[in-house]
Amino acid sequence: METVKLSGFQAELKSGLQVFLDEQKDKYPHDDLLRIDLHCHDHNSDEPDELLGRILKVSETWLPSERLMRELQTNGCNAFTVTNHNNARSCYELRDKGFDILAGCEFSCMVPDYDIGIHVLAYGFSPEQEIRLNKLRRNIYLFQEYALKHDIPTVWAHPLYHYQVKRMPPVDFFRKMGLVFERFEVLNGQRDTWQNMLVKEWITGLTPDRIDDFSKEFDIDPSTYCSDKYKKSFTGGSDSHIGIFAGLTGTYLYIPDLKERLKNEAASTLALEAIRNADMIPYSSHQNAEKLTVAFLDYVSQVALNYKDPGLMRLLLHRGAVSDKILAFILSNIFLEVQRHKVTISFVRLFHESLMGKSPSFLKKLALKPSYKPVFDEIAKMAKSHRNASHDIVGEYNQSVHNINEKLNEILFSRISKKIEKLDLNSKLSPDKIGDLLVKLDLPSDIRSYVSSGEADKNESAINLSEFLDGLSFPFFASALVLSAHYTSAKVLFNTRPFLKEFSRHIGKYEHPRRALWLTDTFGDKNGVSSALQSIHRKIKDDNLPVDMLVCSNQIEPDEHLIVLPPLCEFSVPLYNDQPVRIPNLLALHKLFHERECDRIICSTEGVMGLMALYLKSAYSVEASFYVHTDRVMFARKILNLNVHNLNRIRRILRAFYGSFDKVFVLNTDQRKWLTGHDMKLNPETVKLTAYWADEIFTPQDVTKKDILGLANDAPIILYAGWLSAEKGVMELPEIYRNVRKTCTTVQLVIAGQGPAADALKNELPEAIYLDWLERDRLPAVYSCADLFVFPSRFDTFGCIALEALSCGLPVVAYKTKGPKDIIVHERNGYIVNTSKEMTDVISSYLQNRDLHSSFRKAASERANDYKVDNIMNDFIKEIGLG
């Protein structure tokens, strides 16, 4: 994994943080500073804040208190506290064991007038005061008033985190809380620099004048809650739950004449004095999701090691939405399955122990398969980094995690590729088998069907799933563990992204760049969608728009605004042999999205990249738009010949898929009506109409038929250009052409293109002239020398190839369906027909009536001018929020 050069926004954040730290560190003499982590957890934080954790009945951490103390000492702390959720048990227990500990706790408090929960750190209280604080924490105002009265210093922990996504706090909430608190955690080790610097900028802006204005606005006397209403101070804490990063973010406490005072006073007493006096300097380093990712990796590992089945009734009856319970059920089964798999659970244990500095034994390495030894070596490196107390332990951990993931993917997809090679996909996934596969997706609701033995499926044409998965469990579960940690860390950091964007706009600082990542499964392939996307990319590149396209391929070269990820696995499926399925490295995509500073997604294909888009949308809490190029239901009906029940299954899958996007762009009015109608029920406000355009090279050319095609200049020519496949209607061309020749004997049919139906078409229609696939710069001359473009597809959502023909002054005859009927003006620049007979008739009539040709050609060019690239792209960019 190469070191990533920080881009503009991240560089700005890092620079801002460094300036802040430099300003802070010179406030006090270094010899008079204690180092303390004011926010860390151990095993007594046993009640998770997250609903999912409570449903699954898992602890927030299993870290022993003594282990936490060792980690804090290793990382340079010389004063100590433990801030577990709503209890100080660990502090009291450690005191009983002889440790000098400042009593601390992270209280979950409520702001009653906003019905919003926040976390508050408190220090130096007695057990009796802790009981009282726990009773008062449901009202932050009473809590803070009591704390001030009893000289218990409090800190608002991670002020921009821990809010419900659908109930973000308003701006006035922060103005009011700025009056209630005098200490703020501005550097939290589990938040990224963006959130931390937003907090710092906000607190810095709380000037005495603003505080007085807010006091009048809310009719609040800040002196009720603050010892000095104008003095706002900063703290830092690791918020570590696993220990390894405890102390790497924290607070320096200033105590004058520290060395002398330590001779007679406990460090915890002096620490409390400094916190009360707000003599504090926070410390940390620039970070994105690195620490949090490793923390979640270890947390998930510990859950896997310690998990116990919570029981189905708990999952069903616990508070929470149905989606939460379904997710809990899935995760519960995954953890239980991991525990059953000896190799996987052994890896999980080794991984957890390595993070704690324990190297795996040499005997364990000898027992490993050769393919797993590189994974073992990386685990050993992580243990060594911990033991050596490396100053870049976060970077070294993440490098090892990256290397482990790369090796696991190599093993996993190498095995998958071999298994796919053994499968006869042409028979198992043939059109007549797709229906059976869709039926199997309907899981039975009858419980007995899951517990009764029944007879095994003896259908030899089916894929034996058990046999296919054999040998994949360890690399799959292990790589899933790594990916889940990256997903969860991004989800936690950016769960409130819309709020963070609004907050940054409000304070006028550190606004996140606006940039879209456009995912597609096809780009360099020889089909209409690919050609359209190439045109869009050229426009993005020419105008330097804040959009990057991304495709997975081994053949395509990267370009400006075009990112190419190599596939981990590539294979072909029936009906799409010319367009392989390519599986990218999801973790690489995950990191790339963040490194490119993207904040929204566009997707063009319902395949692998469609799923990747939804993953990124969920992980990074960003808006996602889908660009519909293909009518999948029509494809299922016409090509797969599915019955009505399976068509309904396809429709329901598409409804769920399209409905998961914030906006859906369509290319014709019929599709918009369908998506917003009874069958699909998408919100009309989210379904937008857009269009393709023809590139500037598609203009009428002064060429002759003889020069371009070697035909007589007076020979009537009808042309088809495009993808040669059944859904494009090309197998209708033989009948149409032969019927036209009955009335126009000299007519020539020219076919330009490639595709799965090419051989069948050539066998059926050998008398046509075949030009194979033409590069785009050769097409305008071919269009210009033809007399009429025939477009027999009932499948296209737009018909970009028809628009290219019109742009070159070539009239088009097409069926009255979706896109073409929106583009072609009947009997002016072409014809719209209902049947192949009508198509034959209008072709014959047009070819025989040469007086129409001039006016039709002129009207064709005029109609094409209605589809101007600047207008279309400007509208699109505005709709996705980049305009």
PDB file of all heavy atoms in Angstrom, residues 668-670 673 798 814-826 832 863 867:
ATOM      1  N   ASN A 668     -36.201   8.361 -20.980  1.00  0.00           N
ATOM      2  CA  ASN A 668     -37.426   8.549 -21.764  1.00  0.00           C
ATOM      3  C   ASN A 668     -38.618   8.710 -20.834  1.00  0.00           C
ATOM      4  O   ASN A 668     -38.584   8.322 -19.659  1.00  0.00           O
ATOM      5  CB  ASN A 668     -37.637   7.385 -22.734  1.00  0.00           C
ATOM      6  CG  ASN A 668     -37.779   6.062 -22.018  1.00  0.00           C
ATOM      7  OD1 ASN A 668     -38.819   5.768 -21.425  1.00  0.00           O
ATOM      8  ND2 ASN A 668     -36.728   5.245 -22.047  1.00  0.00           N
ATOM      9  N   THR A 669     -39.677   9.278 -21.375  1.00  0.00           N
ATOM     10  CA  THR A 669     -40.863   9.585 -20.565  1.00  0.00           C
ATOM     11  C   THR A 669     -41.605   8.328 -20.140  1.00  0.00           C
ATOM     12  O   THR A 669     -42.181   8.285 -19.045  1.00  0.00           O
ATOM     13  CB  THR A 669     -41.812  10.503 -21.352  1.00  0.00           C
ATOM     14  OG1 THR A 669     -42.099   9.902 -22.632  1.00  0.00           O
ATOM     15  CG2 THR A 669     -41.181  11.871 -21.582  1.00  0.00           C
ATOM     16  N   ASP A 670     -41.611   7.283 -20.984  1.00  0.00           N
ATOM     17  CA  ASP A 670     -42.295   6.041 -20.616  1.00  0.00           C
ATOM     18  C   ASP A 670     -41.686   5.418 -19.363  1.00  0.00           C
ATOM     19  O   ASP A 670     -42.400   4.952 -18.473  1.00  0.00           O
ATOM     20  CB  ASP A 670     -42.209   5.033 -21.769  1.00  0.00           C
ATOM     21  CG  ASP A 670     -43.261   5.276 -22.825  1.00  0.00           C
ATOM     22  OD1 ASP A 670     -43.948   6.318 -22.730  1.00  0.00           O
ATOM     23  OD2 ASP A 670     -43.397   4.442 -23.739  1.00  0.00           O
ATOM     24  N   LYS A 673     -42.683   7.305 -16.266  1.00  0.00           N
ATOM     25  CA  LYS A 673     -44.054   6.982 -15.863  1.00  0.00           C
ATOM     26  C   LYS A 673     -44.113   5.629 -15.164  1.00  0.00           C
ATOM     27  O   LYS A 673     -44.831   5.447 -14.179  1.00  0.00           O
ATOM     28  CB  LYS A 673     -44.974   6.984 -17.083  1.00  0.00           C
ATOM     29  CG  LYS A 673     -45.236   8.367 -17.668  1.00  0.00           C
ATOM     30  CD  LYS A 673     -46.105   8.272 -18.917  1.00  0.00           C
ATOM     31  CE  LYS A 673     -46.325   9.635 -19.535  1.00  0.00           C
ATOM     32  NZ  LYS A 673     -47.116   9.542 -20.807  1.00  0.00           N
ATOM     33  N   PHE A 798     -33.179   4.813 -24.919  1.00  0.00           N
ATOM     34  CA  PHE A 798     -32.999   6.106 -25.564  1.00  0.00           C
ATOM     35  C   PHE A 798     -32.789   5.950 -27.061  1.00  0.00           C
ATOM     36  O   PHE A 798     -33.583   6.429 -27.860  1.00  0.00           O
ATOM     37  CB  PHE A 798     -31.814   6.855 -24.943  1.00  0.00           C
ATOM     38  CG  PHE A 798     -31.631   8.241 -25.496  1.00  0.00           C
ATOM     39  CD1 PHE A 798     -32.429   9.275 -25.037  1.00  0.00           C
ATOM     40  CD2 PHE A 798     -30.674   8.515 -26.460  1.00  0.00           C
ATOM     41  CE1 PHE A 798     -32.274  10.559 -25.547  1.00  0.00           C
ATOM     42  CE2 PHE A 798     -30.513   9.790 -26.976  1.00  0.00           C
ATOM     43  CZ  PHE A 798     -31.313  10.818 -26.517  1.00  0.00           C
ATOM     44  N   ALA A 814     -38.047   3.601 -36.751  1.00  0.00           N
ATOM     45  CA  ALA A 814     -37.937   2.827 -35.510  1.00  0.00           C
ATOM     46  C   ALA A 814     -39.327   2.463 -35.018  1.00  0.00           C
ATOM     47  O   ALA A 814     -40.340   3.011 -35.472  1.00  0.00           O
ATOM     48  CB  ALA A 814     -37.190   3.629 -34.449  1.00  0.00           C
ATOM     49  N   TYR A 815     -39.367   1.537 -34.064  1.00  0.00           N
ATOM     50  CA  TYR A 815     -40.638   1.151 -33.457  1.00  0.00           C
ATOM     51  C   TYR A 815     -41.094   2.218 -32.451  1.00  0.00           C
ATOM     52  O   TYR A 815     -40.273   2.943 -31.877  1.00  0.00           O
ATOM     53  CB  TYR A 815     -40.512  -0.203 -32.761  1.00  0.00           C
ATOM     54  CG  TYR A 815     -40.431  -1.369 -33.721  1.00  0.00           C
ATOM     55  CD1 TYR A 815     -39.319  -2.206 -33.731  1.00  0.00           C
ATOM     56  CD2 TYR A 815     -41.459  -1.618 -34.619  1.00  0.00           C
ATOM     57  CE1 TYR A 815     -39.242  -3.269 -34.611  1.00  0.00           C
ATOM     58  CE2 TYR A 815     -41.395  -2.683 -35.504  1.00  0.00           C
ATOM     59  CZ  TYR A 815     -40.283  -3.506 -35.509  1.00  0.00           C
ATOM     60  OH  TYR A 815     -40.219  -4.552 -36.393  1.00  0.00           O
ATOM     61  N   LYS A 816     -42.388   2.250 -32.249  1.00  0.00           N
ATOM     62  CA  LYS A 816     -42.984   3.210 -31.308  1.00  0.00           C
ATOM     63  C   LYS A 816     -42.766   2.702 -29.884  1.00  0.00           C
ATOM     64  O   LYS A 816     -43.660   2.131 -29.268  1.00  0.00           O
ATOM     65  CB  LYS A 816     -44.468   3.383 -31.610  1.00  0.00           C
ATOM     66  CG  LYS A 816     -45.118   4.506 -30.823  1.00  0.00           C
ATOM     67  CD  LYS A 816     -46.583   4.660 -31.210  1.00  0.00           C
ATOM     68  CE  LYS A 816     -47.224   5.811 -30.443  1.00  0.00           C
ATOM     69  NZ  LYS A 816     -48.665   5.970 -30.823  1.00  0.00           N
ATOM     70  N   THR A 817     -41.571   2.923 -29.391  1.00  0.00           N
ATOM     71  CA  THR A 817     -41.245   2.416 -28.065  1.00  0.00           C
ATOM     72  C   THR A 817     -40.267   3.358 -27.386  1.00  0.00           C
ATOM     73  O   THR A 817     -39.339   3.871 -28.014  1.00  0.00           O
ATOM     74  CB  THR A 817     -40.634   1.010 -28.156  1.00  0.00           C
ATOM     75  OG1 THR A 817     -40.301   0.532 -26.849  1.00  0.00           O
ATOM     76  CG2 THR A 817     -39.377   0.988 -28.998  1.00  0.00           C
ATOM     77  N   LYS A 818     -40.496   3.609 -26.159  1.00  0.00           N
ATOM     78  CA  LYS A 818     -39.611   4.350 -25.242  1.00  0.00           C
ATOM     79  C   LYS A 818     -38.830   5.455 -25.925  1.00  0.00           C
ATOM     80  O   LYS A 818     -39.399   6.372 -26.495  1.00  0.00           O
ATOM     81  CB  LYS A 818     -38.697   3.368 -24.515  1.00  0.00           C
ATOM     82  CG  LYS A 818     -39.437   2.445 -23.558  1.00  0.00           C
ATOM     83  CD  LYS A 818     -38.470   1.612 -22.770  1.00  0.00           C
ATOM     84  CE  LYS A 818     -39.209   0.758 -21.758  1.00  0.00           C
ATOM     85  NZ  LYS A 818     -40.001  -0.298 -22.415  1.00  0.00           N
ATOM     86  N   GLY A 819     -37.492   5.374 -25.883  1.00  0.00           N
ATOM     87  CA  GLY A 819     -36.631   6.448 -26.353  1.00  0.00           C
ATOM     88  C   GLY A 819     -36.862   6.918 -27.769  1.00  0.00           C
ATOM     89  O   GLY A 819     -37.031   8.127 -27.997  1.00  0.00           O
ATOM     90  N   PRO A 820     -36.862   6.008 -28.759  1.00  0.00           N
ATOM     91  CA  PRO A 820     -36.987   6.466 -30.153  1.00  0.00           C
ATOM     92  C   PRO A 820     -38.222   7.331 -30.413  1.00  0.00           C
ATOM     93  O   PRO A 820     -38.141   8.306 -31.168  1.00  0.00           O
ATOM     94  CB  PRO A 820     -37.054   5.144 -30.928  1.00  0.00           C
ATOM     95  CG  PRO A 820     -36.258   4.197 -30.097  1.00  0.00           C
ATOM     96  CD  PRO A 820     -36.559   4.578 -28.677  1.00  0.00           C
ATOM     97  N   LYS A 821     -39.346   7.021 -29.766  1.00  0.00           N
ATOM     98  CA  LYS A 821     -40.553   7.810 -30.057  1.00  0.00           C
ATOM     99  C   LYS A 821     -40.458   9.218 -29.476  1.00  0.00           C
ATOM    100  O   LYS A 821     -41.186  10.122 -29.906  1.00  0.00           O
ATOM    101  CB  LYS A 821     -41.797   7.097 -29.526  1.00  0.00           C
ATOM    102  CG  LYS A 821     -41.985   7.162 -28.029  1.00  0.00           C
ATOM    103  CD  LYS A 821     -43.326   6.566 -27.625  1.00  0.00           C
ATOM    104  CE  LYS A 821     -43.596   6.774 -26.150  1.00  0.00           C
ATOM    105  NZ  LYS A 821     -44.904   6.253 -25.749  1.00  0.00           N
ATOM    106  N   ASP A 822     -39.540   9.415 -28.469  1.00  0.00           N
ATOM    107  CA  ASP A 822     -39.320  10.758 -27.928  1.00  0.00           C
ATOM    108  C   ASP A 822     -38.407  11.570 -28.838  1.00  0.00           C
ATOM    109  O   ASP A 822     -38.429  12.802 -28.802  1.00  0.00           O
ATOM    110  CB  ASP A 822     -38.683  10.680 -26.535  1.00  0.00           C
ATOM    111  CG  ASP A 822     -39.655  10.189 -25.470  1.00  0.00           C
ATOM    112  OD1 ASP A 822     -40.861  10.131 -25.762  1.00  0.00           O
ATOM    113  OD2 ASP A 822     -39.201   9.872 -24.350  1.00  0.00           O
ATOM    114  N   ILE A 823     -37.588  10.884 -29.634  1.00  0.00           N
ATOM    115  CA  ILE A 823     -36.586  11.571 -30.456  1.00  0.00           C
ATOM    116  C   ILE A 823     -37.087  11.839 -31.873  1.00  0.00           C
ATOM    117  O   ILE A 823     -36.912  12.936 -32.415  1.00  0.00           O
ATOM    118  CB  ILE A 823     -35.294  10.718 -30.532  1.00  0.00           C
ATOM    119  CG1 ILE A 823     -34.728  10.476 -29.124  1.00  0.00           C
ATOM    120  CG2 ILE A 823     -34.244  11.385 -31.415  1.00  0.00           C
ATOM    121  CD1 ILE A 823     -33.589   9.468 -29.098  1.00  0.00           C
ATOM    122  N   ILE A 824     -37.720  10.841 -32.461  1.00  0.00           N
ATOM    123  CA  ILE A 824     -38.096  10.913 -33.886  1.00  0.00           C
ATOM    124  C   ILE A 824     -39.460  11.570 -34.038  1.00  0.00           C
ATOM    125  O   ILE A 824     -40.422  11.215 -33.348  1.00  0.00           O
ATOM    126  CB  ILE A 824     -38.114   9.498 -34.499  1.00  0.00           C
ATOM    127  CG1 ILE A 824     -36.717   8.865 -34.373  1.00  0.00           C
ATOM    128  CG2 ILE A 824     -38.568   9.539 -35.958  1.00  0.00           C
ATOM    129  CD1 ILE A 824     -36.708   7.381 -34.621  1.00  0.00           C
ATOM    130  N   VAL A 825     -39.515  12.547 -34.929  1.00  0.00           N
ATOM    131  CA  VAL A 825     -40.786  13.192 -35.262  1.00  0.00           C
ATOM    132  C   VAL A 825     -41.335  12.479 -36.496  1.00  0.00           C
ATOM    133  O   VAL A 825     -40.750  12.563 -37.590  1.00  0.00           O
ATOM    134  CB  VAL A 825     -40.601  14.692 -35.538  1.00  0.00           C
ATOM    135  CG1 VAL A 825     -41.960  15.330 -35.859  1.00  0.00           C
ATOM    136  CG2 VAL A 825     -39.950  15.368 -34.338  1.00  0.00           C
ATOM    137  N   HIS A 826     -42.454  11.785 -36.342  1.00  0.00           N
ATOM    138  CA  HIS A 826     -42.998  10.925 -37.391  1.00  0.00           C
ATOM    139  C   HIS A 826     -43.301  11.717 -38.660  1.00  0.00           C
ATOM    140  O   HIS A 826     -43.898  12.786 -38.629  1.00  0.00           O
ATOM    141  CB  HIS A 826     -44.269  10.251 -36.872  1.00  0.00           C
ATOM    142  CG  HIS A 826     -44.873   9.272 -37.830  1.00  0.00           C
ATOM    143  ND1 HIS A 826     -44.198   8.182 -38.328  1.00  0.00           N
ATOM    144  CD2 HIS A 826     -46.121   9.231 -38.405  1.00  0.00           C
ATOM    145  CE1 HIS A 826     -44.979   7.499 -39.131  1.00  0.00           C
ATOM    146  NE2 HIS A 826     -46.158   8.123 -39.209  1.00  0.00           N
ATOM    147  N   ILE A 832     -42.105   6.428 -37.093  1.00  0.00           N
ATOM    148  CA  ILE A 832     -42.375   5.616 -35.911  1.00  0.00           C
ATOM    149  C   ILE A 832     -43.463   4.614 -36.290  1.00  0.00           C
ATOM    150  O   ILE A 832     -44.554   5.005 -36.740  1.00  0.00           O
ATOM    151  CB  ILE A 832     -42.849   6.492 -34.731  1.00  0.00           C
ATOM    152  CG1 ILE A 832     -41.723   7.427 -34.280  1.00  0.00           C
ATOM    153  CG2 ILE A 832     -43.306   5.630 -33.573  1.00  0.00           C
ATOM    154  CD1 ILE A 832     -40.519   6.715 -33.701  1.00  0.00           C
ATOM    155  N   ARG A 863     -33.511  18.312 -35.600  1.00  0.00           N
ATOM    156  CA  ARG A 863     -33.958  17.613 -34.393  1.00  0.00           C
ATOM    157  C   ARG A 863     -32.776  17.249 -33.509  1.00  0.00           C
ATOM    158  O   ARG A 863     -32.840  17.379 -32.277  1.00  0.00           O
ATOM    159  CB  ARG A 863     -34.733  16.344 -34.769  1.00  0.00           C
ATOM    160  CG  ARG A 863     -35.208  15.513 -33.599  1.00  0.00           C
ATOM    161  CD  ARG A 863     -36.067  16.311 -32.650  1.00  0.00           C
ATOM    162  NE  ARG A 863     -36.627  15.498 -31.588  1.00  0.00           N
ATOM    163  CZ  ARG A 863     -36.941  15.961 -30.370  1.00  0.00           C
ATOM    164  NH1 ARG A 863     -36.733  17.237 -30.075  1.00  0.00           N
ATOM    165  NH2 ARG A 863     -37.454  15.166 -29.467  1.00  0.00           N
ATOM    166  N   TYR A 867     -30.657  18.301 -28.800  1.00  0.00           N
ATOM    167  CA  TYR A 867     -29.935  17.546 -27.767  1.00  0.00           C
ATOM    168  C   TYR A 867     -28.505  18.077 -27.667  1.00  0.00           C
ATOM    169  O   TYR A 867     -27.563  17.477 -28.168  1.00  0.00           O
ATOM    170  CB  TYR A 867     -29.946  16.052 -28.105  1.00  0.00           C
ATOM    171  CG  TYR A 867     -31.329  15.445 -28.042  1.00  0.00           C
ATOM    172  CD1 TYR A 867     -32.176  15.497 -29.146  1.00  0.00           C
ATOM    173  CD2 TYR A 867     -31.794  14.847 -26.879  1.00  0.00           C
ATOM    174  CE1 TYR A 867     -33.459  14.964 -29.083  1.00  0.00           C
ATOM    175  CE2 TYR A 867     -33.067  14.302 -26.804  1.00  0.00           C
ATOM    176  CZ  TYR A 867     -33.897  14.372 -27.908  1.00  0.00           C
ATOM    177  OH  TYR A 867     -35.167  13.837 -27.836  1.00  0.00           O
TER     178      TYR A 867
END
